[in-house]
Amino acid sequence: MTKVQVSLPDDAEDGLQAFIDDVDERLSSEEDTCQVVRDTLIDLFGDREAWERWQSGKPVSPATRVRLQGYDPCNATLEAEYYAEKDEAKFQRSKHLQWLWRQFDATPMADNVDFALRFRQMLANHLFEDAGDNLRIFKGVTFSYGHNITVGDNTVIHDDVHLDDRGKLTIGDRVSISDGVHIYTHAHDVVDQTEVRNYHTDIGDDVRLTYDAMVNAGNHVGENAIVGARAIVKSDVPAHHIVVGAPAKSVKVKPGFEDVAEPLEAGGERRVDDREIPYDLPEDRDTFDEFGRDIGGPVNPHRTE
């Protein structure tokens, strides 16, 4: 094994765990989530005195007011807020939890690894559809919504990973996702880029997605497979295969699994159409085309319910 156990001093451990437990308890209660997030961020950023001064009616600078208002996720917008097909009810709470996650990552405490991993595990328990035990998520990980993500036990997600869950994302047990990986569950039409198709993307148990790799929407990476650095997965990866390149292709079976793995030529099957997630847009939803072009419509419209 290449790692050792690390622990914090007792006094620090007690204080940090008490903080995690307090936020967890408040998020589990009927308390307004915006208020929980706001209070947590005000204290994490050391702005309680300025907040109380502003709340008491004393003057603050415009910049201070913007900063204080920004701790409240009800005063914030995220990119995914513009996605017309999202589940509005689910997104509202997810947005508030995402805001806490992202702003926490901007604090010095986000670099205190032992503490930060536990804090993000707690947040994932509230944000994800399902979050496994001993989930280790490092700094700078982003999501579309969060509530369409399922992650298994003992999985590690390293710095600056993007987990798109505009469709549905499933990640198995003991998966290792390296820095800079992007996993997608949606795709845009080649003609009308405002037309979006959503998919179920599935990463099997014991998979390794290495540095800067990308998994395109609707693909399945089979158990115990390895996706090489900067590879782009555009079709299914069979179990126990090692794939490299753009597009990723099977080049080897992991040693010791030759008797159970499919042959190398079995790689490359595309089944994304089978994994499309249909959706309808409410007729009364106020949508807009940010590009304002008349191009005659998409080549492959999304499936409806």
Side-chain angles (χ1 to χ4, degrees), residues 138-191:
F138 285 80
K139 189 175 179 180
V141 176
T142 57
F143 328 99
S144 299
Y145 308 137
H147 58 252
N148 290 329
I149 297 175
T150 296
V151 186
D153 299 332
N154 300 305
T155 283
V156 57
I157 303 171
H158 286 280
D159 292 349
D160 301 321
V161 167
H162 181 61
L163 304 177
D164 162 47
D165 64 318
R166 196 164 175 172
K168 178 179 176 63
L169 176 58
T170 301
I171 299 171
D173 298 332
R174 301 172 302 277
V175 174
S176 175
I177 302 178
S178 296
D179 298 357
V181 166
H182 286 59
I183 307 175
Y184 289 98
T185 64
H186 82 278
H188 296 265
D189 185 77
V190 295
V191 172

Short mmCIF file of all heavy atoms in Angstrom, two decimals, residues 138-191:
data_model
loop_
_atom_site.label_atom_id
_atom_site.label_comp_id
_atom_site.label_asym_id
_atom_site.label_seq_id
_atom_site.Cartn_x
_atom_site.Cartn_y
_atom_site.Cartn_z
N PHE A 138 -12.30 15.58 -3.83
CA PHE A 138 -11.32 16.63 -3.61
C PHE A 138 -11.84 17.98 -4.14
O PHE A 138 -13.01 18.12 -4.49
CB PHE A 138 -9.99 16.23 -4.23
CG PHE A 138 -9.25 15.19 -3.43
CD1 PHE A 138 -9.59 13.85 -3.51
CD2 PHE A 138 -8.23 15.57 -2.56
CE1 PHE A 138 -8.92 12.89 -2.76
CE2 PHE A 138 -7.56 14.62 -1.80
CZ PHE A 138 -7.91 13.29 -1.90
N LYS A 139 -10.97 18.94 -4.22
CA LYS A 139 -11.35 20.33 -4.45
C LYS A 139 -11.69 20.60 -5.92
O LYS A 139 -11.09 20.04 -6.82
CB LYS A 139 -10.20 21.23 -4.01
CG LYS A 139 -10.50 22.71 -3.98
CD LYS A 139 -9.30 23.45 -3.40
CE LYS A 139 -9.52 24.96 -3.38
NZ LYS A 139 -8.35 25.68 -2.82
N GLY A 140 -12.68 21.49 -6.13
CA GLY A 140 -12.97 21.97 -7.47
C GLY A 140 -13.84 21.06 -8.31
O GLY A 140 -13.93 21.25 -9.53
N VAL A 141 -14.51 20.09 -7.70
CA VAL A 141 -15.42 19.20 -8.44
C VAL A 141 -16.75 19.92 -8.64
O VAL A 141 -17.31 20.50 -7.71
CB VAL A 141 -15.61 17.87 -7.69
CG1 VAL A 141 -16.63 16.98 -8.40
CG2 VAL A 141 -14.28 17.15 -7.56
N THR A 142 -17.27 19.88 -9.87
CA THR A 142 -18.52 20.57 -10.19
C THR A 142 -19.54 19.61 -10.78
O THR A 142 -19.20 18.54 -11.27
CB THR A 142 -18.27 21.72 -11.17
OG1 THR A 142 -17.64 21.21 -12.36
CG2 THR A 142 -17.40 22.80 -10.55
N PHE A 143 -20.80 20.02 -10.73
CA PHE A 143 -21.93 19.22 -11.22
C PHE A 143 -22.87 20.13 -12.01
O PHE A 143 -22.80 21.35 -11.92
CB PHE A 143 -22.72 18.60 -10.06
CG PHE A 143 -21.89 18.27 -8.87
CD1 PHE A 143 -21.85 19.11 -7.77
CD2 PHE A 143 -21.13 17.11 -8.84
CE1 PHE A 143 -21.06 18.83 -6.67
CE2 PHE A 143 -20.35 16.81 -7.74
CZ PHE A 143 -20.32 17.66 -6.66
N SER A 144 -23.77 19.52 -12.76
CA SER A 144 -24.86 20.30 -13.35
C SER A 144 -25.93 20.54 -12.29
O SER A 144 -26.23 21.68 -11.95
CB SER A 144 -25.47 19.55 -14.55
OG SER A 144 -24.50 19.34 -15.54
N TYR A 145 -26.49 19.46 -11.76
CA TYR A 145 -27.50 19.55 -10.71
C TYR A 145 -26.99 18.92 -9.41
O TYR A 145 -27.10 19.48 -8.35
CB TYR A 145 -28.80 18.84 -11.11
CG TYR A 145 -29.36 19.24 -12.45
CD1 TYR A 145 -29.86 18.28 -13.33
CD2 TYR A 145 -29.45 20.58 -12.83
CE1 TYR A 145 -30.40 18.63 -14.55
CE2 TYR A 145 -29.98 20.94 -14.05
CZ TYR A 145 -30.46 19.96 -14.92
OH TYR A 145 -30.99 20.31 -16.12
N GLY A 146 -26.49 17.70 -9.53
CA GLY A 146 -26.09 16.94 -8.35
C GLY A 146 -27.08 15.85 -8.01
O GLY A 146 -26.71 14.74 -7.64
N HIS A 147 -28.38 16.13 -8.16
CA HIS A 147 -29.38 15.17 -7.71
C HIS A 147 -29.60 14.01 -8.67
O HIS A 147 -30.35 13.08 -8.36
CB HIS A 147 -30.72 15.87 -7.43
CG HIS A 147 -31.29 16.62 -8.60
ND1 HIS A 147 -31.31 18.00 -8.66
CD2 HIS A 147 -31.89 16.19 -9.73
CE1 HIS A 147 -31.89 18.38 -9.79
NE2 HIS A 147 -32.25 17.30 -10.46
N ASN A 148 -28.95 14.04 -9.83
CA ASN A 148 -29.03 12.90 -10.76
C ASN A 148 -27.75 12.06 -10.74
O ASN A 148 -27.47 11.34 -11.69
CB ASN A 148 -29.28 13.40 -12.18
CG ASN A 148 -30.68 13.98 -12.35
OD1 ASN A 148 -31.61 13.55 -11.69
ND2 ASN A 148 -30.81 14.96 -13.23
N ILE A 149 -26.99 12.14 -9.66
CA ILE A 149 -25.73 11.41 -9.54
C ILE A 149 -25.86 10.33 -8.47
O ILE A 149 -26.33 10.59 -7.36
CB ILE A 149 -24.58 12.36 -9.16
CG1 ILE A 149 -24.35 13.39 -10.27
CG2 ILE A 149 -23.30 11.57 -8.88
CD1 ILE A 149 -23.30 14.44 -9.92
N THR A 150 -25.43 9.12 -8.83
CA THR A 150 -25.31 8.03 -7.87
C THR A 150 -23.85 7.56 -7.86
O THR A 150 -23.29 7.29 -8.93
CB THR A 150 -26.22 6.84 -8.25
OG1 THR A 150 -27.59 7.26 -8.17
CG2 THR A 150 -26.00 5.66 -7.32
N VAL A 151 -23.25 7.50 -6.69
CA VAL A 151 -21.86 7.07 -6.55
C VAL A 151 -21.79 5.96 -5.51
O VAL A 151 -22.43 6.04 -4.46
CB VAL A 151 -20.93 8.24 -6.13
CG1 VAL A 151 -19.48 7.79 -6.13
CG2 VAL A 151 -21.12 9.43 -7.05
N GLY A 152 -20.99 4.92 -5.79
CA GLY A 152 -20.86 3.79 -4.89
C GLY A 152 -19.88 4.03 -3.75
O GLY A 152 -19.42 5.15 -3.51
N ASP A 153 -19.52 2.95 -3.08
CA ASP A 153 -18.63 3.01 -1.92
C ASP A 153 -17.16 3.10 -2.34
O ASP A 153 -16.76 2.56 -3.38
CB ASP A 153 -18.81 1.76 -1.06
CG ASP A 153 -20.22 1.61 -0.51
OD1 ASP A 153 -20.90 2.64 -0.33
OD2 ASP A 153 -20.64 0.46 -0.26
N ASN A 154 -16.37 3.76 -1.49
CA ASN A 154 -14.90 3.77 -1.62
C ASN A 154 -14.41 4.31 -2.96
O ASN A 154 -13.38 3.88 -3.49
CB ASN A 154 -14.34 2.36 -1.40
CG ASN A 154 -14.66 1.82 -0.03
OD1 ASN A 154 -14.36 2.44 0.99
ND2 ASN A 154 -15.32 0.67 0.02
N THR A 155 -15.15 5.27 -3.49
CA THR A 155 -14.77 5.91 -4.75
C THR A 155 -14.05 7.22 -4.44
O THR A 155 -14.37 7.91 -3.48
CB THR A 155 -16.02 6.14 -5.61
OG1 THR A 155 -16.40 4.91 -6.22
CG2 THR A 155 -15.78 7.17 -6.70
N VAL A 156 -13.06 7.55 -5.27
CA VAL A 156 -12.31 8.79 -5.09
C VAL A 156 -12.42 9.63 -6.36
O VAL A 156 -12.27 9.12 -7.48
CB VAL A 156 -10.84 8.51 -4.73
CG1 VAL A 156 -10.16 7.66 -5.79
CG2 VAL A 156 -10.08 9.82 -4.53
N ILE A 157 -12.72 10.92 -6.17
CA ILE A 157 -12.86 11.87 -7.27
C ILE A 157 -11.90 13.02 -6.99
O ILE A 157 -12.05 13.75 -6.01
CB ILE A 157 -14.31 12.38 -7.39
CG1 ILE A 157 -15.27 11.20 -7.55
CG2 ILE A 157 -14.45 13.36 -8.54
CD1 ILE A 157 -16.74 11.57 -7.45
N HIS A 158 -10.91 13.18 -7.85
CA HIS A 158 -9.83 14.13 -7.59
C HIS A 158 -10.17 15.54 -8.08
O HIS A 158 -11.29 15.81 -8.52
CB HIS A 158 -8.54 13.61 -8.22
CG HIS A 158 -7.94 12.47 -7.45
ND1 HIS A 158 -7.19 12.66 -6.31
CD2 HIS A 158 -7.98 11.13 -7.65
CE1 HIS A 158 -6.78 11.49 -5.84
NE2 HIS A 158 -7.26 10.54 -6.64
N ASP A 159 -9.18 16.43 -8.01
CA ASP A 159 -9.39 17.85 -8.26
C ASP A 159 -9.93 18.15 -9.66
O ASP A 159 -9.57 17.50 -10.64
CB ASP A 159 -8.07 18.61 -8.12
CG ASP A 159 -7.55 18.63 -6.68
OD1 ASP A 159 -8.30 18.25 -5.77
OD2 ASP A 159 -6.39 19.04 -6.49
N ASP A 160 -10.80 19.18 -9.71
CA ASP A 160 -11.22 19.81 -10.97
C ASP A 160 -11.91 18.85 -11.93
O ASP A 160 -11.79 18.97 -13.16
CB ASP A 160 -10.02 20.47 -11.66
CG ASP A 160 -9.36 21.52 -10.78
OD1 ASP A 160 -10.09 22.25 -10.09
OD2 ASP A 160 -8.11 21.59 -10.76
N VAL A 161 -12.65 17.92 -11.38
CA VAL A 161 -13.47 17.00 -12.19
C VAL A 161 -14.84 17.63 -12.42
O VAL A 161 -15.39 18.28 -11.53
CB VAL A 161 -13.60 15.64 -11.48
CG1 VAL A 161 -14.67 14.77 -12.12
CG2 VAL A 161 -12.26 14.91 -11.47
N HIS A 162 -15.39 17.42 -13.62
CA HIS A 162 -16.76 17.86 -13.88
C HIS A 162 -17.65 16.64 -14.09
O HIS A 162 -17.40 15.82 -14.97
CB HIS A 162 -16.84 18.76 -15.11
CG HIS A 162 -18.24 19.24 -15.38
ND1 HIS A 162 -18.95 20.00 -14.46
CD2 HIS A 162 -19.08 19.05 -16.43
CE1 HIS A 162 -20.16 20.27 -14.96
NE2 HIS A 162 -20.26 19.70 -16.13
N LEU A 163 -18.69 16.54 -13.27
CA LEU A 163 -19.67 15.47 -13.36
C LEU A 163 -20.99 16.07 -13.85
O LEU A 163 -21.75 16.65 -13.07
CB LEU A 163 -19.87 14.80 -11.99
CG LEU A 163 -18.60 14.24 -11.33
CD1 LEU A 163 -18.95 13.69 -9.94
CD2 LEU A 163 -17.97 13.16 -12.20
N ASP A 164 -21.22 15.96 -15.14
CA ASP A 164 -22.45 16.49 -15.72
C ASP A 164 -23.58 15.49 -15.46
O ASP A 164 -23.49 14.33 -15.83
CB ASP A 164 -22.25 16.69 -17.23
CG ASP A 164 -23.57 16.81 -17.97
OD1 ASP A 164 -24.44 17.56 -17.50
OD2 ASP A 164 -23.73 16.13 -19.00
N ASP A 165 -24.64 15.96 -14.80
CA ASP A 165 -25.78 15.08 -14.56
C ASP A 165 -27.07 15.71 -15.09
O ASP A 165 -28.13 15.61 -14.49
CB ASP A 165 -25.92 14.71 -13.09
CG ASP A 165 -26.22 15.91 -12.19
OD1 ASP A 165 -25.62 16.98 -12.39
OD2 ASP A 165 -27.06 15.77 -11.29
N ARG A 166 -26.94 16.34 -16.25
CA ARG A 166 -28.14 16.87 -16.89
C ARG A 166 -29.07 15.72 -17.27
O ARG A 166 -30.28 15.85 -17.26
CB ARG A 166 -27.74 17.67 -18.13
CG ARG A 166 -28.83 18.58 -18.66
CD ARG A 166 -28.26 19.62 -19.62
NE ARG A 166 -29.29 20.42 -20.21
CZ ARG A 166 -29.09 21.49 -20.97
NH1 ARG A 166 -27.85 21.88 -21.22
NH2 ARG A 166 -30.10 22.17 -21.48
N GLY A 167 -28.46 14.56 -17.58
CA GLY A 167 -29.22 13.32 -17.74
C GLY A 167 -29.16 12.54 -16.45
O GLY A 167 -29.68 12.96 -15.42
N LYS A 168 -28.48 11.38 -16.47
CA LYS A 168 -28.31 10.57 -15.26
C LYS A 168 -26.90 9.99 -15.27
O LYS A 168 -26.45 9.47 -16.29
CB LYS A 168 -29.34 9.43 -15.22
CG LYS A 168 -29.22 8.49 -14.02
CD LYS A 168 -30.30 7.42 -14.07
CE LYS A 168 -30.16 6.41 -12.94
NZ LYS A 168 -30.31 7.04 -11.61
N LEU A 169 -26.22 10.08 -14.14
CA LEU A 169 -24.84 9.59 -14.03
C LEU A 169 -24.74 8.58 -12.90
O LEU A 169 -25.11 8.87 -11.75
CB LEU A 169 -23.88 10.75 -13.77
CG LEU A 169 -22.42 10.40 -13.54
CD1 LEU A 169 -21.85 9.63 -14.74
CD2 LEU A 169 -21.60 11.65 -13.26
N THR A 170 -24.23 7.39 -13.23
CA THR A 170 -24.01 6.35 -12.24
C THR A 170 -22.52 6.01 -12.21
O THR A 170 -21.93 5.73 -13.26
CB THR A 170 -24.81 5.07 -12.57
OG1 THR A 170 -26.21 5.39 -12.63
CG2 THR A 170 -24.58 4.00 -11.52
N ILE A 171 -21.94 6.05 -11.02
CA ILE A 171 -20.53 5.72 -10.82
C ILE A 171 -20.47 4.63 -9.76
O ILE A 171 -21.08 4.75 -8.69
CB ILE A 171 -19.74 6.96 -10.36
CG1 ILE A 171 -19.81 8.07 -11.42
CG2 ILE A 171 -18.29 6.60 -10.07
CD1 ILE A 171 -19.24 9.40 -10.97
N GLY A 172 -19.75 3.56 -10.05
CA GLY A 172 -19.77 2.39 -9.19
C GLY A 172 -18.88 2.48 -7.97
O GLY A 172 -18.43 3.55 -7.56
N ASP A 173 -18.61 1.31 -7.38
CA ASP A 173 -17.75 1.19 -6.21
C ASP A 173 -16.28 1.20 -6.62
O ASP A 173 -15.91 0.70 -7.68
CB ASP A 173 -18.03 -0.12 -5.47
CG ASP A 173 -19.45 -0.24 -4.94
OD1 ASP A 173 -20.06 0.81 -4.66
OD2 ASP A 173 -19.94 -1.38 -4.82
N ARG A 174 -15.46 1.76 -5.74
CA ARG A 174 -13.99 1.70 -5.87
C ARG A 174 -13.50 2.29 -7.20
O ARG A 174 -12.50 1.86 -7.77
CB ARG A 174 -13.48 0.26 -5.72
CG ARG A 174 -13.85 -0.38 -4.37
CD ARG A 174 -13.49 -1.85 -4.34
NE ARG A 174 -14.17 -2.59 -5.41
CZ ARG A 174 -15.43 -3.03 -5.33
NH1 ARG A 174 -16.15 -2.80 -4.25
NH2 ARG A 174 -15.97 -3.68 -6.35
N VAL A 175 -14.19 3.29 -7.68
CA VAL A 175 -13.80 3.97 -8.91
C VAL A 175 -12.78 5.06 -8.58
O VAL A 175 -12.90 5.75 -7.56
CB VAL A 175 -15.03 4.57 -9.62
CG1 VAL A 175 -14.61 5.40 -10.83
CG2 VAL A 175 -15.99 3.47 -10.04
N SER A 176 -11.78 5.22 -9.43
CA SER A 176 -10.79 6.28 -9.29
C SER A 176 -10.91 7.24 -10.47
O SER A 176 -10.73 6.84 -11.63
CB SER A 176 -9.38 5.69 -9.24
OG SER A 176 -8.41 6.73 -9.22
N ILE A 177 -11.23 8.49 -10.18
CA ILE A 177 -11.40 9.51 -11.21
C ILE A 177 -10.31 10.56 -10.99
O ILE A 177 -10.31 11.27 -9.99
CB ILE A 177 -12.79 10.13 -11.15
CG1 ILE A 177 -13.87 9.04 -11.31
CG2 ILE A 177 -12.96 11.20 -12.22
CD1 ILE A 177 -15.29 9.55 -11.21
N SER A 178 -9.39 10.66 -11.93
CA SER A 178 -8.22 11.52 -11.78
C SER A 178 -8.54 12.99 -12.07
O SER A 178 -9.62 13.33 -12.59
CB SER A 178 -7.09 11.05 -12.71
OG SER A 178 -6.65 9.76 -12.36
N ASP A 179 -7.57 13.85 -11.79
CA ASP A 179 -7.72 15.29 -11.99
C ASP A 179 -8.15 15.61 -13.42
O ASP A 179 -7.65 15.03 -14.39
CB ASP A 179 -6.38 16.00 -11.74
CG ASP A 179 -5.87 15.84 -10.32
OD1 ASP A 179 -6.58 15.24 -9.50
OD2 ASP A 179 -4.76 16.33 -10.04
N GLY A 180 -9.07 16.57 -13.53
CA GLY A 180 -9.43 17.11 -14.84
C GLY A 180 -10.34 16.25 -15.69
O GLY A 180 -10.60 16.60 -16.84
N VAL A 181 -10.85 15.15 -15.15
CA VAL A 181 -11.75 14.30 -15.94
C VAL A 181 -13.10 14.99 -16.12
O VAL A 181 -13.59 15.68 -15.22
CB VAL A 181 -11.93 12.93 -15.24
CG1 VAL A 181 -13.11 12.15 -15.83
CG2 VAL A 181 -10.65 12.11 -15.34
N HIS A 182 -13.71 14.79 -17.29
CA HIS A 182 -15.06 15.29 -17.56
C HIS A 182 -15.94 14.11 -17.98
O HIS A 182 -15.58 13.35 -18.89
CB HIS A 182 -15.04 16.33 -18.69
CG HIS A 182 -14.50 17.66 -18.28
ND1 HIS A 182 -13.22 17.82 -17.79
CD2 HIS A 182 -15.07 18.90 -18.27
CE1 HIS A 182 -13.02 19.10 -17.50
NE2 HIS A 182 -14.12 19.77 -17.78
N ILE A 183 -17.07 13.97 -17.32
CA ILE A 183 -18.04 12.92 -17.65
C ILE A 183 -19.36 13.60 -17.99
O ILE A 183 -19.89 14.39 -17.20
CB ILE A 183 -18.25 11.94 -16.49
CG1 ILE A 183 -16.92 11.38 -16.00
CG2 ILE A 183 -19.17 10.80 -16.92
CD1 ILE A 183 -17.04 10.49 -14.76
N TYR A 184 -19.89 13.30 -19.18
CA TYR A 184 -21.09 13.98 -19.67
C TYR A 184 -22.29 13.05 -19.77
O TYR A 184 -22.14 11.85 -20.03
CB TYR A 184 -20.82 14.62 -21.03
CG TYR A 184 -19.90 15.81 -20.94
CD1 TYR A 184 -18.54 15.68 -21.22
CD2 TYR A 184 -20.37 17.05 -20.54
CE1 TYR A 184 -17.69 16.76 -21.11
CE2 TYR A 184 -19.53 18.13 -20.43
CZ TYR A 184 -18.19 17.98 -20.71
OH TYR A 184 -17.35 19.06 -20.59
N THR A 185 -23.47 13.64 -19.56
CA THR A 185 -24.72 12.90 -19.74
C THR A 185 -25.66 13.60 -20.71
O THR A 185 -26.81 13.21 -20.85
CB THR A 185 -25.45 12.73 -18.38
OG1 THR A 185 -25.83 14.02 -17.88
CG2 THR A 185 -24.57 12.02 -17.37
N HIS A 186 -25.18 14.66 -21.36
CA HIS A 186 -26.01 15.32 -22.36
C HIS A 186 -25.15 15.66 -23.58
O HIS A 186 -23.92 15.74 -23.50
CB HIS A 186 -26.67 16.60 -21.80
CG HIS A 186 -25.77 17.80 -21.80
ND1 HIS A 186 -24.83 18.04 -20.82
CD2 HIS A 186 -25.67 18.84 -22.68
CE1 HIS A 186 -24.19 19.17 -21.08
NE2 HIS A 186 -24.68 19.68 -22.20
N ALA A 187 -25.82 15.84 -24.71
CA ALA A 187 -25.15 16.19 -25.97
C ALA A 187 -26.03 17.16 -26.73
O ALA A 187 -27.25 17.17 -26.58
CB ALA A 187 -24.87 14.94 -26.81
N HIS A 188 -25.39 17.97 -27.58
CA HIS A 188 -26.09 18.96 -28.38
C HIS A 188 -26.20 18.51 -29.83
O HIS A 188 -25.30 17.86 -30.37
CB HIS A 188 -25.35 20.31 -28.33
CG HIS A 188 -25.31 20.92 -26.97
ND1 HIS A 188 -26.21 21.86 -26.55
CD2 HIS A 188 -24.46 20.72 -25.92
CE1 HIS A 188 -25.93 22.23 -25.32
NE2 HIS A 188 -24.87 21.54 -24.91
N ASP A 189 -27.30 18.87 -30.46
CA ASP A 189 -27.49 18.57 -31.87
C ASP A 189 -26.41 19.26 -32.70
O ASP A 189 -25.98 20.38 -32.38
CB ASP A 189 -28.88 19.05 -32.31
CG ASP A 189 -29.21 18.67 -33.73
OD1 ASP A 189 -29.55 17.51 -33.97
OD2 ASP A 189 -29.10 19.55 -34.62
N VAL A 190 -25.96 18.61 -33.77
CA VAL A 190 -24.85 19.15 -34.56
C VAL A 190 -25.25 20.39 -35.36
O VAL A 190 -24.38 21.18 -35.75
CB VAL A 190 -24.29 18.07 -35.52
CG1 VAL A 190 -23.67 16.94 -34.74
CG2 VAL A 190 -25.36 17.55 -36.47
N VAL A 191 -26.53 20.57 -35.63
CA VAL A 191 -26.98 21.75 -36.36
C VAL A 191 -27.54 22.80 -35.41
O VAL A 191 -27.12 23.95 -35.41
CB VAL A 191 -28.03 21.36 -37.42
CG1 VAL A 191 -28.65 22.62 -38.06
CG2 VAL A 191 -27.40 20.49 -38.50
#
